[in-house]
């Protein structure tokens, strides 16, 4: 099979993984090296596909042959999809070629499971080793690890990769057992815990070494080699939304547990997408994509806005986030007793709960009010969505009036009901991107 | 080489900076004006390129028509300060200076006046440095963001094409059209990333070239100076076509992050129309197709799968 045909199959097979981040790596460049590549903190999105997703990494499978039978997956053993397999060298060459063209930040390599988890993981690690050791490649590498692979292989993967991930796939162990019979939820979590341990250890020893370097500067003291990095970009995971019956409350509870327990950098939510040759056991239609978007917004609230997961989805809503409005606005409307928030006196935690105010705006408000009183006109200067913010705040020259008392807020913000967009319908309004989740 | 001319009458001081991104010239002139107590409403800022088009500006004859093309580099007439440089320049936050250094790269003709006004106000209004919501500061921040975004988009959307060189090596050449005067300021990023490559980035303002050792700055270029697609680019197009999920078409989101003005220089953008048009049909076909009966083409025994690589 020619390379072009393999690439078509193995890129197609990888596109259901939502992650494409290339951030979090330790800053480095290729000055003084033998090869090419750099990472400077935040990643770069080199292109966007018509599905609105960023293309930052060459995201491919080493092979889409797979022994497992995860029902939601296009590569499962029982799927009739066409199969292909790259050689290690082919992946290395593609990565370097795309990188030289400045099309990518690096490689995100995953694989179907062939022969055995260890055999597969070994090949995946070999790609990273060749890139790093033979080509001195200093771009980004994200490896998808296989939970049943041996701890030694995982350890080696972490030495070459900037980021590691294992997908938990489904929000609950029951869901996983039903849809991915060969996968073991407990084993996945054990792997995550082990990697979290390695990541923390490596950080700790690098910190200690840096500390020691500053304190001990005895003449003639031997310089030790730098403590090794282990996946400095941390680990991430992905959950499929809408392939089983798990509600948003359950999904967010799982995320909170993953963030807390394993210090994950990101949990990705991937609305179950219709795949060619779908199993009969699955819903054929996709969940509305806006549900995925609301989950990302809720996730943001947990990570940056001080919300606890159980606050975000009230039990009485049937455990689901509102599709009509973002979760922060929904929370504010459900808690009129907490508003209006006085922009000149309220603590930071409360400013963060105002719909339409992002972290950056809040910090600027806090700085300004130390030297003077914040006014209505300042909000325009901040370019925040006034319609959203004004009903919830008061300033020297603005009070929200009766809107808050009268319970009219719900009506004020209600958007006219629109039909749930069909998957792929071009008319579907595009939800805002994550970077500007709350403006 | 960053020179500015300053001409003063009682009412107005006119500063003509050497070129569009003359940061050093601006700093020197601003420092002198500030020390001389010249308030911002009495100062007018021009660059050599503006001067070429302004019949009333001093020195327009010398700058000549070439100044417009070479604005990013051409030094103007030599700087003759009204007053000796002050012993202690006014102290401003380092972050403010860094921001101004980027804002110089913006194409907004009002940038120098804005920066001088802010400098003046910082020196005379002690509260200003603590007030990020001040309209002048917000304006500066807005310009800064636009420059940063443009630099980021250039890092993202430059596409190199390999061209063989006489010595058997390869030169990677890209054509890019930035919104602002960022080409030279952005070149070190590419040098850090592609240190062991030889490359050149050509833009309508300037060109930069890395020979593996050092950066060289060159004249403005034209699109036709850059090479056409090569055979290897086809693999990138294959990747782009196949990483797209037709069940999730979101063109607005794509355009927001990859505005259409960049498309003409992105090889993959030629595919967008076709991919978008066929997405609905492909997606409907997937949803409507009945669940298939699994044909276990690969037995689940270890070793069997690997024995059938699709070679
Ligand atoms: S292990 Fe499951 S999810 Fe992974 S490729 Fe195989 S079938 Fe797909």
């Amino acid at each position: 099979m020619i390379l072009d045909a393999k690439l078509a199959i193995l890129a197609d097979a990888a596109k259901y993984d939502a992650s494409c981040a290339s951030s979090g790596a330790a800053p480095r460049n290729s000055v003084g090296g033998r090869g090419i590549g750099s990472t400077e903190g935040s990643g770069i999105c080199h292109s966007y596909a018509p599905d609105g997703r960023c293309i930052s990494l060459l995201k491919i499978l080493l092979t889409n042959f797979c022994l497992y039978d995860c029902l939601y997956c296009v590569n499962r053993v029982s799927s009739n999809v066409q199969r292909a397999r790259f050689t290690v060298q082919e992946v290395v060459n593609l990565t370097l070629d795309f990188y030289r063209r400045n099309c990518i930040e690096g490689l995100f390599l995953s694989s179907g499971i062939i022969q055995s988890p260890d055999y597969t993981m070994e090949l995946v690690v070999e790609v990273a080793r060749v890139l790093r050791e033979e080509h001195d490649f200093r771009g980004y590498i994200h490896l998808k690890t296989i939970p049943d692979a041996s701890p030694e292989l995982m350890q080696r993967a972490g030495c070459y990769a900037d980021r590691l991930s294992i997908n938990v796939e489904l929000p609950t162990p029951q869901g996983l057992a039903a849809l991915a019979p060969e996968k073991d939820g407990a084993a996945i979590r054990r792997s995550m815990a082990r990697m979290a341990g390695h990541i923390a250890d490596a950080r700790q020893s690098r910190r200690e070494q840096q500390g020691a370097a500053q304190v001990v500067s005895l003449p003639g003291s031997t310089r030790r080699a730098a403590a090794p990095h282990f996946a400095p970009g941390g680990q991430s995971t992905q959950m499929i939304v809408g392939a089983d019956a798990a509600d948003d409350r359950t999904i967010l509870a799982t995320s909170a547990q993953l963030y807390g327990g394993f210090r994950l950098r990101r949990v990705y939510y991937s609305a179950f997408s219709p795949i060619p040759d779908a199993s009969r056991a699955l819903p054929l239609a996709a969940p509305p994509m806006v549900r995925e978007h609301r989950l990302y917004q809720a996730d943001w609230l947990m990570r940056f806005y001080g919300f606890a997961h159980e606050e975000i989805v009230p039990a009485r809503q049937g455990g689901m986030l509102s599709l009509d409005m973002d979760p922060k606005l929904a929370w504010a409307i459900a808690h009129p007793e907490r508003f209006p928030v006085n922009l000149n006196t309220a603590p930071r935690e409360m400013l963060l709960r105002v719909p339409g105010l992002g972290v950056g705006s809040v910090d600027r408000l806090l700085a300004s009010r130390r030297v003077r009183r914040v006014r209505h006109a300042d909000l325009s200067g901040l370019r925040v969505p006034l319609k959203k913010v004004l009903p919830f705040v008061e300033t020297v020259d603005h009070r929200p009036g009766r809107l808050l008392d009268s319970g009219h807020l719900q009506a004020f913000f209600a958007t006219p009901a629109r039909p749930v967009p069909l998957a792929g319908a071009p008319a579907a309004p595009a939800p805002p991107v994550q970077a500007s989740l709350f403006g | 080489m960053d020179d500015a001319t300053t001409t003063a009458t009682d009412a107005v001081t006119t500063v003509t900076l050497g070129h569009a991104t003359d940061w050093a010239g601006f700093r020197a002139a601003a420092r002198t004006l500030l020390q001389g107590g010249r308030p911002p409403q009495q100062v007018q800022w021009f660059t050599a390129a503006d001067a070429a088009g302004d019949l009333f500006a001093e020195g327009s004859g010398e700058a000549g028509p070439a100044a417009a093309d070479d604005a990013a580099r051409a030094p103007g007439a030599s700087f003759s300060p009204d007053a000796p440089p002050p012993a202690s320049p006014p102290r401003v936050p380092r972050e403010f200076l860094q921001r101004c250094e980027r804002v110089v790269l913006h194409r907004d003709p009002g940038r120098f006046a804005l920066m001088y006004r802010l400098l003046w106000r910082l020196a005379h209004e002690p509260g200003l440095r603590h007030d990020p919501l001040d309209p002048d500061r917000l304006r500066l921040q807005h310009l800064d963001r636009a420059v940063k975004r443009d630099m980021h988009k250039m890092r993202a959307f430059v596409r190199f094409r390999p061209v063989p060189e006489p010595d058997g090596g390869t030169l990677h050449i890209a054509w890019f059209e930035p919104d602002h005067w960022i080409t030279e300021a952005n070149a070190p990023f590419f040098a850090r990333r592609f240190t062991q490559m030889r490359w050149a980035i050509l833009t309508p303002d300037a060109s930069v070239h890395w020979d593996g050792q050092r950066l060289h700055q060159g004249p403005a270029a034209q699109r036709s100076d850059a090479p056409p697609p090569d055979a290897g680019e086809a693999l990138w197009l294959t990747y782009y076509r196949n990483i797209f999920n037709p069940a999730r078409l979101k063109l607005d989101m794509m355009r927001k992050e990859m505005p259409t003005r960049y498309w003409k220089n992105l090889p993959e953008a030629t595919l967008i129309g076709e991919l978008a048009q066929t997405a609905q049909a492909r997606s409907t076909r997937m949803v409507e197709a009945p669940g298939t009966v699994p044909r276990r083409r690969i037995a689940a025994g270890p070793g069997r799968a690997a024995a059938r690589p699709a070679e």
Side-chain angles (χ1 to χ4, degrees), chain A residues 66 68 70 72-73 75-76 112-113 169 183:
Chain A
C66 189
Y68 285 19
C70 310
Y72 48 82
C73 177
N75 307 313
R76 68 193 185 281
I113 297 169
E169 310 287 15
K183 286 199 173 165

Side-chain angles (χ1 to χ4, degrees), chain A residues 366-387:
Chain A
L366 285 170
S368 279
R369 80 184 193 189
R370 267 181 229 122
V371 287
R372 61 184 179 79
R373 314 279 287 161
V374 172
R375 312 184 71 84
H376 184 292
D378 292 323
L379 289 173
S380 321
L382 272 177
R383 302 180 173 214
V384 295
L386 291 180
K387 178 178 187 247

